[in-house]
Amino acid sequence: MYASGKYSSRGPALIPRMKTKHRIYYITLFSVVLLGLIATGMFQFWPHSIESAADWTLDKRSVHDAPLVHLPVSSPIPERGDLSCRMHTCFDVYRCGYNPKNKIKVYIYPLQKFVDELGVPISSTGLSREYNDLLSAISDSDFYTDDVTRACLFIPSTDVLNQNSLRIRETAQALAMLPRWDKGMNHLLFNMLPGGPPDYNTALDVPRDRALLAGGGFSTWTYRQGYDVSIPVYSPLSADVELPERQPGPRRYFILSSQTAIHREYRAELERLKEENGEALLLLDKCSNLSQGAASARKRCCKGQVYDYPHILQESSFCVVLRGARLGQAALSDVLQAGCVPVILADSYILPFSEVLDWKRASVVIPEEKLSEMYTILKNIPHRQVEEMQRQARWFWEAYFSSMKAIGLTTLQIINDRIYPYAARTYEQWNNPPVVKWSSVNSPLFLPLIPPRAPGFTAVVLTYDRVESLFRVITEISKVPSLAKLLVVWNNQNKSPPEESLWPKIGVPLKVVRTKENKLSNRFFPYDEIETEAVLYFNYLYTYKMPGDIKNWVDAHMNCEDIAMNFLVANITGKAPIKVTPRKKFKCPECTAIDGLSLDQTHMVERSECINKFASVFGTMPLKVVEHRADPVLYKDDFPEKLKSFPNIGSL
């Protein structure tokens, strides 16, 4: 609504003219205030405009050289956004196709300046420094392609990081004009500050059809699980302030609150906790005695005492991160950088990159209604766990929060993992800092899923000198229809294997490999002769990734290679083995007390020793207790014995 009034050439008729000296005074005062607001906005708020910069050349063209595009009033507007969208309904994976590197290809649209019919830009800030850094990082990565026909994912050069700077309708029209828009299919938008007053929606209000949204403030109501990506709200302090990593351990304060725009009810509750727990809790606020600007943004105050921010965060074990007008808060990034464990109180908030990051290892999430119980909850966390969380928090920041590059490439990797799930990063790769990957052991399925060179499976048989038993094993294994090759590992350097004419005649290739040393670990070596896929990938892990000196210990003692393999597999999978019942007990007519390893009196003693040895190397006991056995059909049924395929299988 607008009020109308009669105006003269000197101004509104209802407003009396000021005296000249008063008018000069108010004009001067207004000018000073205006300049102060402009300076504050330049130094304190982001995104930072880089319209004056001419060094961004993603398309070999600076911001100033970008062509001007006029948006007709009648330009189409996309649909608001389909909340039912998922990767299988709103994303065309066939555009991605197959490539040997299992990498999606990302195309960035050339820079354009969109204006309405009156020449007014669709954004008040243009291209921000943050979005410039994001696009530059993507253009320098392995994901990028400048060939639009090869692209699997499309990213507009229109900056929508901060909704406050956008004209909603005109921005939506600009998106719809993109040549490959196609109702937003396979398009990705980055937004960190969604919504606006008074309700502050938790997702970008710009209509976007089916486009994916990497958003910085999703709630459970607006987040499309498995489609959108929840990203952090970038903190400008990440680039401007360097905080050296601090060793985990007790800090000066137990709990610290440093946010300056906390709702009065939450602040009142924090002040009550402060009264109850004294110096264990430090409650900071903005400094009222400092002039606004970049300097004041890096200061916090408590009862007249000034603290440097974010440095003060390193002095506390736990740091409170409360919701503000928006769910996503840049304070979370500052807290992680300081190695302080974030205590997050923001109901329904989708934590950044929660699709792949295990936030239980780096944070404490408390319902807002339990703010009054926060001190008690945190006191019940063991000291050792707090130290691990401090270490994990800092690493999360370094790997995923520290720059727009880290945020952008992490987002693309998550989408990449959805499209190529067989080549996706594992939980350990996403969540384990490199310094604690003591074994460097990852998932056994780390090899690329490609068609095998031969169908079926390869049988690998380790032998030393028991030829008769070896031939019996070969004969029995050869009866399996899916056998593709049989590989015999001859582990005796003092004796040659039998002549070719003496070996059993079987219907698949039989290959003999002679080893250079008599090692039990030779049974797990990934030989080049294995050309099928139905082999333990675990062979690679046993040979090249076994932690500590376990492999050397096994070879030196000629014992426990089977236990070492079980330790390895159980540690990786977290699962117990399945005991498969044999048809009958294996008998070795050639075995004597002289040459049998298992008949040596010290053999079983060493097997007990090796369990203790391996547990100390792994740092835990990965083996699982299980009371299960896979018995043959009819084993315990009341059925004639002669009709049972496995009548005599022994005790459990």
Side-chain angles (χ1 to χ4, degrees):
M1 298 291 293
Y2 294 89
S4 60
K6 295 181 179 179
Y7 283 73
S8 69
S9 60
R10 294 177 177 174
L14 298 179
I15 301 178
R17 293 180 61 191
M18 295 181 183
K19 293 182 178 180
T20 303
K21 63 177 181 178
H22 290 163
R23 185 167 52 191
I24 295 174
Y25 169 78
Y26 283 113
I27 291 175
T28 304
L29 177 63
F30 176 76
S31 300
V32 171
V33 172
L34 180 60
L35 289 173
L37 289 174
I38 293 174
T40 300
M42 289 176 63
F43 289 107
Q44 185 171 357
F45 301 105
W46 77 270
H48 306 284
S49 175
I50 60 163
E51 284 291 336
S52 59
D55 57 350
W56 190 64
T57 56
L58 175 66
D59 193 43
K60 295 183 179 179
R61 178 171 54 231
S62 72
V63 177
H64 288 295
D65 296 329
L68 206 63
V69 179
H70 290 270
L71 296 170
V73 176
S74 58
S75 296
I77 300 176
E79 296 293 328
R80 180 170 178 81
D82 189 350
L83 285 177
S84 66
C85 270
R86 297 296 183 269
M87 292 297 287
H88 64 279
T89 59
C90 296
F91 193 92
D92 184 6
V93 296
Y94 294 104
R95 283 185 179 176
C96 305
Y98 168 79
N99 64 76
K101 294 184 178 180
N102 297 313
K103 283 276 188 182
I104 59 174
K105 288 300 178 183
V106 180
Y107 177 79
I108 301 176
Y109 283 98
L111 283 172
Q112 292 178 309
K113 281 188 177 180
F114 290 95
V115 297
D116 63 15
E117 290 186 332
L118 299 177
V120 180
I122 65 173
S123 170
S124 60
T125 60
L127 185 69
S128 66
R129 184 181 70 189
E130 287 76 15
Y131 200 56
N132 166 69
D133 292 344
L134 177 74
L135 296 184
S136 297
I138 295 174
S139 67
D140 291 336
S141 72
D142 292 338
F143 292 107
Y144 179 70
T145 179
D146 57 4
D147 184 354
V148 69
T149 63
R150 296 181 58 208
C152 164
L153 191 65
F154 302 88
I155 298 179
S157 57
T158 302
D159 184 354
V160 296
L161 281 179
N162 184 358
Q163 183 176 314
N164 291 342
S165 65
L166 302 176
R167 299 170 65 191
I168 303 298
R169 175 188 174 89
E170 288 75 9
T171 302
Q173 290 175 322
L175 294 176
M177 288 186 66
L178 297 174
R180 300 265 175 168
W181 181 249
D182 189 21
K183 294 189 178 297
M185 290 280 284
N186 293 49
H187 280 67
L188 174 64
L189 304 177
F190 285 88
N191 169 253
M192 290 185 174
L193 300 179
D199 54 348
Y200 286 98
N201 188 16
T202 57
L204 181 67
D205 285 324
V206 174
R208 55 187 183 278
D209 280 331
R210 298 177 177 178
L212 291 89
L213 182 60
F218 281 120
S219 72
T220 53
W221 296 98
T222 55
Y223 178 65
R224 296 171 293 183
Q225 188 171 7
Y227 192 68
D228 293 324
V229 180
S230 181
I231 63 175
V233 178
Y234 177 70
S235 172
L237 296 179
S238 296
D240 300 335
V241 177
E242 183 177 350
L243 288 181
E245 184 174 1
R246 181 167 176 176
Q247 289 300 314
R251 306 286 169 85
R252 179 180 177 184
Y253 304 102
F254 185 63
I255 302 174
L256 186 148
S257 173
S258 62
Q259 291 170 275
T260 60
I262 299 177
H263 192 277
R264 61 179 179 273
E265 293 181 3
Y266 293 144
R267 182 164 291 278
E269 190 61 52
L270 289 171
E271 289 174 348
R272 188 186 66 79
L273 286 173
K274 168 69 174 175
E275 292 176 1
E276 293 178 355
N277 301 287
E279 297 300 319
L281 193 151
L282 179 61
L283 182 57
L284 301 176
D285 202 349
K286 63 182 177 181
C287 300
S288 57
N289 58 339
L290 298 178
S291 59
Q292 296 298 312
S296 65
R298 299 181 186 176
K299 301 292 181 182
R300 295 290 187 274
C301 288
C302 177
K303 296 180 180 180
Q305 185 172 353
V306 181
Y307 299 86
D308 291 328
Y309 182 88
H311 307 78
I312 186 60
L313 298 175
Q314 290 190 310
E315 299 299 324
S316 182
S317 297
F318 295 96
C319 294
V320 178
V321 180
L322 274 162
R323 67 177 301 160
R326 294 182 172 92
L327 281 176
Q329 296 290 310
L332 176 59
S333 180
D334 297 337
V335 168
L336 294 174
Q337 182 183 10
C340 185
V341 179
V343 183
I344 302 169
L345 297 102
D347 293 352
S348 79
Y349 178 40
I350 303 297
L351 288 168
F353 305 133
S354 55
E355 183 175 338
V356 294
L357 300 187
D358 187 351
W359 279 98
K360 296 189 297 296
R361 296 175 59 176
S363 68
V364 179
V365 179
I366 299 178
E368 294 174 26
E369 64 179 13
K370 293 191 175 183
L371 175 58
S372 60
E373 305 173 34
M374 176 177 64
Y375 187 87
T376 304
I377 293 172
L378 299 180
K379 268 297 183 183
N380 288 326
I381 302 177
H383 293 297
R384 182 175 179 181
Q385 183 178 347
V386 173
E387 292 179 3
E388 289 297 326
M389 296 171 77
Q390 290 171 336
R391 184 180 294 108
Q392 190 75 0
R394 172 72 183 198
W395 184 71
F396 271 9
W397 178 82
E398 291 175 349
Y400 308 116
F401 284 67
S402 58
S403 64
M404 292 301 296
K405 175 181 179 179
I407 295 171
L409 297 187
T410 301
T411 301
L412 295 184
Q413 186 61 50
I414 290 175
I415 297 173
N416 193 91
D417 286 0
R418 296 173 184 170
I419 296 171
Y420 301 108
Y422 49 83
R425 290 186 181 181
T426 64
Y427 170 91
E428 291 78 13
Q429 289 172 318
W430 280 112
N431 291 279
N432 286 0
V435 293
V436 298
K437 284 186 178 178
W438 45 266
S439 64
S440 300
V441 174
N442 296 318
S443 169
L445 305 181
F446 68 95
L447 297 179
L449 187 62
I450 57 176
R453 289 177 286 177
F457 76 97
T458 300
V460 180
V461 182
L462 180 72
T463 187
Y464 185 79
D465 196 18
R466 301 169 183 172
V467 177
E468 183 179 346
S469 298
L470 171 64
F471 287 175
R472 285 178 54 202
V473 169
I474 292 175
T475 302
E476 292 300 318
I477 294 178
S478 66
K479 297 177 182 178
V480 180
S482 55
L483 180 68
K485 178 185 286 187
L486 202 151
L487 186 64
V488 175
V489 180
W490 189 263
N491 223 20
N492 191 337
Q493 290 76 41
N494 300 320
K495 182 179 179 180
S496 299
E499 297 180 3
E500 183 178 351
S501 60
L502 300 178
W503 290 79
K505 302 299 185 290
I506 59 177
V508 298
L510 190 154
K511 175 75 174 180
V512 179
V513 175
R514 301 189 64 175
T515 61
K516 296 181 179 180
E517 294 182 77
N518 181 18
K519 295 180 179 180
L520 287 180
S521 298
N522 289 335
R523 67 183 292 196
F524 298 131
F525 189 83
Y527 297 98
D528 293 337
E529 286 78 8
I530 301 175
E531 298 178 308
T532 55
E533 215 173 61
V535 177
L536 294 178
Y537 292 153
F538 289 109
N539 285 356
Y540 289 85
L541 302 181
Y542 185 98
T543 303
Y544 299 113
K545 302 294 184 180
M546 181 66 77
D549 62 342
I550 290 179
K551 185 167 170 286
N552 293 334
W553 192 97
V554 167
D555 293 334
H557 291 77
M558 293 296 287
N559 201 348
C560 299
E561 84 286 1
D562 53 334
I563 297 177
M565 176 62 85
N566 274 278
F567 263 75
L568 179 67
V569 176
N571 185 64
I572 294 169
T573 64
K575 297 180 180 179
I578 298 176
K579 179 177 174 60
V580 180
T581 307
R583 180 170 183 174
K584 58 184 177 180
K585 183 175 176 60
F586 177 76
K587 295 181 180 180
C588 175
E590 310 150 273
C591 299
T592 66
I594 299 176
D595 61 358
L597 285 176
S598 60
L599 299 178
D600 191 328
Q601 293 182 356
T602 63
H603 186 78
M604 295 307 297
V605 175
E606 279 192 341
R607 290 179 71 80
S608 297
E609 291 178 357
C610 72
I611 289 179
N612 296 329
K613 164 73 175 178
F614 298 168
S616 66
V617 174
F618 275 84
T620 184
M621 171 50 76
L623 299 182
K624 307 294 180 181
V625 177
V626 63
E627 296 182 5
H628 173 76
R629 182 174 74 179
D631 286 331
V633 178
L634 306 179
Y635 162 55
K636 286 190 175 181
D637 291 349
D638 186 11
F639 211 71
E641 290 292 323
K642 64 181 180 180
L643 297 180
K644 294 183 178 180
S645 298
F646 302 87
N648 180 24
I649 59 177
S651 62
L652 181 60

